[in-house]
mmCIF file of all heavy atoms in Angstrom:
data_model
loop_
_atom_site.group_PDB
_atom_site.id
_atom_site.type_symbol
_atom_site.label_atom_id
_atom_site.label_comp_id
_atom_site.label_asym_id
_atom_site.label_seq_id
_atom_site.Cartn_x
_atom_site.Cartn_y
_atom_site.Cartn_z
ATOM 1 N N ARG A 1 10.917 -6.294 -2.447
ATOM 2 C CA ARG A 1 11.326 -5.497 -3.684
ATOM 3 C C ARG A 1 10.550 -4.190 -3.761
ATOM 4 O O ARG A 1 11.082 -3.159 -4.152
ATOM 5 C CB ARG A 1 11.042 -6.319 -4.955
ATOM 6 C CG ARG A 1 11.779 -7.676 -4.943
ATOM 7 C CD ARG A 1 12.880 -7.678 -5.967
ATOM 8 N NE ARG A 1 13.466 -8.965 -6.277
ATOM 9 C CZ ARG A 1 14.120 -9.683 -5.300
ATOM 10 N NH1 ARG A 1 14.142 -9.270 -4.106
ATOM 11 N NH2 ARG A 1 14.799 -10.795 -5.629
ATOM 12 N N VAL A 2 9.264 -4.203 -3.483
ATOM 13 C CA VAL A 2 8.430 -2.996 -3.480
ATOM 14 C C VAL A 2 9.006 -1.970 -2.508
ATOM 15 O O VAL A 2 9.118 -0.770 -2.851
ATOM 16 C CB VAL A 2 6.971 -3.313 -3.171
ATOM 17 C CG1 VAL A 2 6.118 -2.013 -2.920
ATOM 18 C CG2 VAL A 2 6.354 -4.099 -4.378
ATOM 19 N N HIS A 3 9.305 -2.436 -1.302
ATOM 20 C CA HIS A 3 9.797 -1.436 -0.294
ATOM 21 C C HIS A 3 11.287 -0.965 -0.555
ATOM 22 O O HIS A 3 11.687 -0.063 0.040
ATOM 23 C CB HIS A 3 9.668 -2.058 1.107
ATOM 24 C CG HIS A 3 8.251 -2.054 1.570
ATOM 25 N ND1 HIS A 3 7.640 -0.949 2.153
ATOM 26 C CD2 HIS A 3 7.314 -3.032 1.554
ATOM 27 C CE1 HIS A 3 6.380 -1.254 2.458
ATOM 28 N NE2 HIS A 3 6.150 -2.518 2.122
ATOM 29 N N GLY A 4 11.907 -1.712 -1.445
ATOM 30 C CA GLY A 4 13.280 -1.236 -1.788
ATOM 31 C C GLY A 4 13.338 -0.536 -3.119
ATOM 32 O O GLY A 4 14.399 -0.302 -3.690
ATOM 33 N N GLY A 5 12.201 -0.134 -3.679
ATOM 34 C CA GLY A 5 12.127 0.477 -5.004
ATOM 35 C C GLY A 5 12.280 1.926 -4.953
ATOM 36 O O GLY A 5 12.857 2.548 -4.023
ATOM 37 N N GLY A 6 11.621 2.634 -5.936
ATOM 38 C CA GLY A 6 11.859 4.036 -6.111
ATOM 39 C C GLY A 6 10.801 5.002 -5.456
ATOM 40 O O GLY A 6 10.845 6.207 -5.621
ATOM 41 N N PHE A 7 9.919 4.405 -4.636
ATOM 42 C CA PHE A 7 8.893 5.211 -3.917
ATOM 43 C C PHE A 7 9.301 5.355 -2.468
ATOM 44 O O PHE A 7 9.937 4.471 -1.868
ATOM 45 C CB PHE A 7 7.524 4.511 -4.012
ATOM 46 C CG PHE A 7 6.902 4.577 -5.367
ATOM 47 C CD1 PHE A 7 6.626 3.347 -5.937
ATOM 48 C CD2 PHE A 7 6.628 5.687 -6.041
ATOM 49 C CE1 PHE A 7 6.047 3.267 -7.233
ATOM 50 C CE2 PHE A 7 6.135 5.659 -7.361
ATOM 51 C CZ PHE A 7 5.833 4.493 -7.898
ATOM 52 N N THR A 8 8.910 6.477 -1.887
ATOM 53 C CA THR A 8 9.024 6.678 -0.467
ATOM 54 C C THR A 8 8.101 5.773 0.314
ATOM 55 O O THR A 8 7.137 5.258 -0.322
ATOM 56 C CB THR A 8 8.777 8.117 -0.029
ATOM 57 O OG1 THR A 8 7.374 8.370 -0.202
ATOM 58 C CG2 THR A 8 9.663 9.106 -0.818
ATOM 59 N N GLU A 9 8.283 5.555 1.611
ATOM 60 C CA GLU A 9 7.399 4.701 2.371
ATOM 61 C C GLU A 9 6.016 5.303 2.382
ATOM 62 O O GLU A 9 4.961 4.579 2.374
ATOM 63 C CB GLU A 9 7.954 4.476 3.781
ATOM 64 C CG GLU A 9 8.984 3.426 3.797
ATOM 65 C CD GLU A 9 8.604 2.058 3.308
ATOM 66 O OE1 GLU A 9 7.500 1.536 3.685
ATOM 67 O OE2 GLU A 9 9.327 1.473 2.423
ATOM 68 N N ALA A 10 5.969 6.697 2.434
ATOM 69 C CA ALA A 10 4.605 7.303 2.448
ATOM 70 C C ALA A 10 3.881 7.047 1.119
ATOM 71 O O ALA A 10 2.708 6.771 1.069
ATOM 72 C CB ALA A 10 4.752 8.832 2.701
ATOM 73 N N GLN A 11 4.623 7.088 0.022
ATOM 74 C CA GLN A 11 4.023 6.797 -1.312
ATOM 75 C C GLN A 11 3.599 5.334 -1.388
ATOM 76 O O GLN A 11 2.502 4.999 -1.952
ATOM 77 C CB GLN A 11 5.017 7.189 -2.364
ATOM 78 C CG GLN A 11 5.211 8.619 -2.530
ATOM 79 C CD GLN A 11 6.388 9.017 -3.502
ATOM 80 O OE1 GLN A 11 7.363 8.247 -3.716
ATOM 81 N NE2 GLN A 11 6.323 10.172 -4.056
ATOM 82 N N ILE A 12 4.431 4.461 -0.874
ATOM 83 C CA ILE A 12 4.019 3.029 -0.865
ATOM 84 C C ILE A 12 2.802 2.848 -0.037
ATOM 85 O O ILE A 12 1.821 2.118 -0.473
ATOM 86 C CB ILE A 12 5.177 2.156 -0.302
ATOM 87 C CG1 ILE A 12 6.332 2.194 -1.259
ATOM 88 C CG2 ILE A 12 4.727 0.729 -0.038
ATOM 89 C CD1 ILE A 12 7.642 1.596 -0.746
ATOM 90 N N GLN A 13 2.639 3.456 1.068
ATOM 91 C CA GLN A 13 1.463 3.277 1.913
ATOM 92 C C GLN A 13 0.226 3.911 1.200
ATOM 93 O O GLN A 13 -0.925 3.418 1.330
ATOM 94 C CB GLN A 13 1.613 3.862 3.274
ATOM 95 C CG GLN A 13 2.549 3.075 4.165
ATOM 96 C CD GLN A 13 2.235 1.580 4.175
ATOM 97 O OE1 GLN A 13 1.127 1.246 4.365
ATOM 98 N NE2 GLN A 13 3.238 0.803 4.127
ATOM 99 N N THR A 14 0.396 4.981 0.429
ATOM 100 C CA THR A 14 -0.665 5.530 -0.392
ATOM 101 C C THR A 14 -1.142 4.474 -1.354
ATOM 102 O O THR A 14 -2.353 4.238 -1.456
ATOM 103 C CB THR A 14 -0.219 6.746 -1.167
ATOM 104 O OG1 THR A 14 0.133 7.777 -0.165
ATOM 105 C CG2 THR A 14 -1.246 7.281 -2.138
ATOM 106 N N LEU A 15 -0.233 3.819 -2.069
ATOM 107 C CA LEU A 15 -0.626 2.712 -2.938
ATOM 108 C C LEU A 15 -1.279 1.575 -2.273
ATOM 109 O O LEU A 15 -2.381 1.085 -2.681
ATOM 110 C CB LEU A 15 0.698 2.186 -3.642
ATOM 111 C CG LEU A 15 1.302 3.039 -4.681
ATOM 112 C CD1 LEU A 15 2.725 2.583 -5.086
ATOM 113 C CD2 LEU A 15 0.428 3.178 -5.925
ATOM 114 N N LEU A 16 -0.696 1.060 -1.150
ATOM 115 C CA LEU A 16 -1.211 -0.067 -0.489
ATOM 116 C C LEU A 16 -2.552 0.179 0.146
ATOM 117 O O LEU A 16 -3.452 -0.737 0.104
ATOM 118 C CB LEU A 16 -0.260 -0.630 0.544
ATOM 119 C CG LEU A 16 1.137 -1.074 -0.080
ATOM 120 C CD1 LEU A 16 2.086 -1.548 1.056
ATOM 121 C CD2 LEU A 16 0.987 -2.108 -1.137
ATOM 122 N N LEU A 17 -2.757 1.307 0.680
ATOM 123 C CA LEU A 17 -4.040 1.714 1.278
ATOM 124 C C LEU A 17 -5.110 1.779 0.148
ATOM 125 O O LEU A 17 -6.236 1.292 0.300
ATOM 126 C CB LEU A 17 -4.038 2.957 2.088
ATOM 127 C CG LEU A 17 -5.309 3.423 2.714
ATOM 128 C CD1 LEU A 17 -5.948 2.384 3.579
ATOM 129 C CD2 LEU A 17 -5.050 4.681 3.494
ATOM 130 N N THR A 18 -4.779 2.424 -0.919
ATOM 131 C CA THR A 18 -5.695 2.512 -2.033
ATOM 132 C C THR A 18 -6.070 1.115 -2.561
ATOM 133 O O THR A 18 -7.239 0.844 -2.820
ATOM 134 C CB THR A 18 -5.043 3.305 -3.209
ATOM 135 O OG1 THR A 18 -4.749 4.630 -2.765
ATOM 136 C CG2 THR A 18 -6.001 3.387 -4.476
ATOM 137 N N ASN A 19 -5.129 0.248 -2.705
ATOM 138 C CA ASN A 19 -5.392 -1.094 -3.182
ATOM 139 C C ASN A 19 -6.285 -1.817 -2.194
ATOM 140 O O ASN A 19 -7.274 -2.549 -2.628
ATOM 141 C CB ASN A 19 -4.037 -1.890 -3.345
ATOM 142 C CG ASN A 19 -3.170 -1.244 -4.342
ATOM 143 O OD1 ASN A 19 -3.533 -0.402 -5.171
ATOM 144 N ND2 ASN A 19 -1.852 -1.576 -4.363
ATOM 145 N N ALA A 20 -6.068 -1.691 -0.926
ATOM 146 C CA ALA A 20 -6.868 -2.388 0.067
ATOM 147 C C ALA A 20 -8.359 -1.942 -0.051
ATOM 148 O O ALA A 20 -9.310 -2.701 0.068
ATOM 149 C CB ALA A 20 -6.289 -2.138 1.458
ATOM 150 N N VAL A 21 -8.543 -0.626 -0.207
ATOM 151 C CA VAL A 21 -9.877 -0.039 -0.295
ATOM 152 C C VAL A 21 -10.500 -0.561 -1.618
ATOM 153 O O VAL A 21 -11.717 -1.011 -1.630
ATOM 154 C CB VAL A 21 -9.858 1.518 -0.233
ATOM 155 C CG1 VAL A 21 -11.254 2.054 -0.612
ATOM 156 C CG2 VAL A 21 -9.464 1.889 1.177
ATOM 157 N N THR A 22 -9.804 -0.470 -2.678
ATOM 158 C CA THR A 22 -10.290 -0.865 -3.982
ATOM 159 C C THR A 22 -10.692 -2.369 -3.962
ATOM 160 O O THR A 22 -11.753 -2.700 -4.597
ATOM 161 C CB THR A 22 -9.355 -0.533 -5.136
ATOM 162 O OG1 THR A 22 -8.973 0.875 -5.017
ATOM 163 C CG2 THR A 22 -9.961 -0.818 -6.467
ATOM 164 N N ASN A 23 -9.948 -3.200 -3.313
ATOM 165 C CA ASN A 23 -10.184 -4.585 -3.212
ATOM 166 C C ASN A 23 -11.073 -4.967 -2.050
ATOM 167 O O ASN A 23 -11.367 -6.157 -1.752
ATOM 168 C CB ASN A 23 -8.882 -5.356 -3.174
ATOM 169 C CG ASN A 23 -8.143 -5.445 -4.474
ATOM 170 O OD1 ASN A 23 -8.781 -5.623 -5.543
ATOM 171 N ND2 ASN A 23 -6.838 -5.249 -4.421
ATOM 172 N N ALA A 24 -11.541 -3.973 -1.284
ATOM 173 C CA ALA A 24 -12.466 -4.155 -0.135
ATOM 174 C C ALA A 24 -11.961 -5.160 0.869
ATOM 175 O O ALA A 24 -12.710 -5.981 1.370
ATOM 176 C CB ALA A 24 -13.849 -4.474 -0.637
ATOM 177 N N CYS A 25 -10.645 -5.055 1.253
ATOM 178 C CA CYS A 25 -10.078 -5.948 2.276
ATOM 179 C C CYS A 25 -10.064 -5.104 3.600
ATOM 180 O O CYS A 25 -9.151 -4.319 3.765
ATOM 181 C CB CYS A 25 -8.714 -6.366 1.874
ATOM 182 S SG CYS A 25 -7.944 -7.461 3.065
ATOM 183 N N SER A 26 -10.953 -5.380 4.461
ATOM 184 C CA SER A 26 -11.093 -4.704 5.701
ATOM 185 C C SER A 26 -9.801 -4.801 6.539
ATOM 186 O O SER A 26 -9.335 -3.768 7.110
ATOM 187 C CB SER A 26 -12.278 -5.202 6.526
ATOM 188 O OG SER A 26 -13.456 -4.927 5.859
ATOM 189 N N TRP A 27 -9.242 -5.970 6.691
ATOM 190 C CA TRP A 27 -8.030 -6.108 7.474
ATOM 191 C C TRP A 27 -6.909 -5.218 6.953
ATOM 192 O O TRP A 27 -6.281 -4.467 7.697
ATOM 193 C CB TRP A 27 -7.540 -7.517 7.546
ATOM 194 C CG TRP A 27 -6.356 -7.715 8.380
ATOM 195 C CD1 TRP A 27 -6.390 -8.029 9.715
ATOM 196 C CD2 TRP A 27 -4.907 -7.413 8.096
ATOM 197 N NE1 TRP A 27 -5.081 -8.066 10.272
ATOM 198 C CE2 TRP A 27 -4.193 -7.706 9.282
ATOM 199 C CE3 TRP A 27 -4.300 -7.085 6.967
ATOM 200 C CZ2 TRP A 27 -2.785 -7.514 9.286
ATOM 201 C CZ3 TRP A 27 -2.939 -6.918 6.928
ATOM 202 C CH2 TRP A 27 -2.183 -7.191 8.175
ATOM 203 N N ALA A 28 -6.675 -5.229 5.585
ATOM 204 C CA ALA A 28 -5.524 -4.454 4.998
ATOM 205 C C ALA A 28 -5.878 -2.949 5.096
ATOM 206 O O ALA A 28 -4.951 -2.172 5.264
ATOM 207 C CB ALA A 28 -5.365 -4.893 3.518
ATOM 208 N N VAL A 29 -7.165 -2.553 5.009
ATOM 209 C CA VAL A 29 -7.419 -1.115 5.147
ATOM 210 C C VAL A 29 -6.984 -0.667 6.490
ATOM 211 O O VAL A 29 -6.342 0.438 6.671
ATOM 212 C CB VAL A 29 -8.920 -0.832 4.814
ATOM 213 C CG1 VAL A 29 -9.215 0.714 5.155
ATOM 214 C CG2 VAL A 29 -9.266 -1.070 3.350
ATOM 215 N N ALA A 30 -7.380 -1.348 7.522
ATOM 216 C CA ALA A 30 -6.986 -0.920 8.885
ATOM 217 C C ALA A 30 -5.498 -0.888 9.047
ATOM 218 O O ALA A 30 -4.981 0.068 9.548
ATOM 219 C CB ALA A 30 -7.655 -1.884 9.919
#
């Protein structure tokens, strides 16, 4: 659903990378 929503893939990756850093998940950041 997230990838089929109103954001571009670059915008989604901005969100997901930010979330990974904020939640300190090393695997997801990489």
Side-chain angles (χ1 to χ4, degrees):
R1 302 249 185 303
V2 167
H3 286 278
F7 292 119
T8 67
E9 282 300 312
Q11 291 170 333
I12 291 168
Q13 291 308 317
T14 296
L15 288 168
L16 299 180
L17 180 56
T18 299
N19 299 344
V21 169
T22 307
N23 287 316
C25 180
S26 297
W27 185 92
V29 172

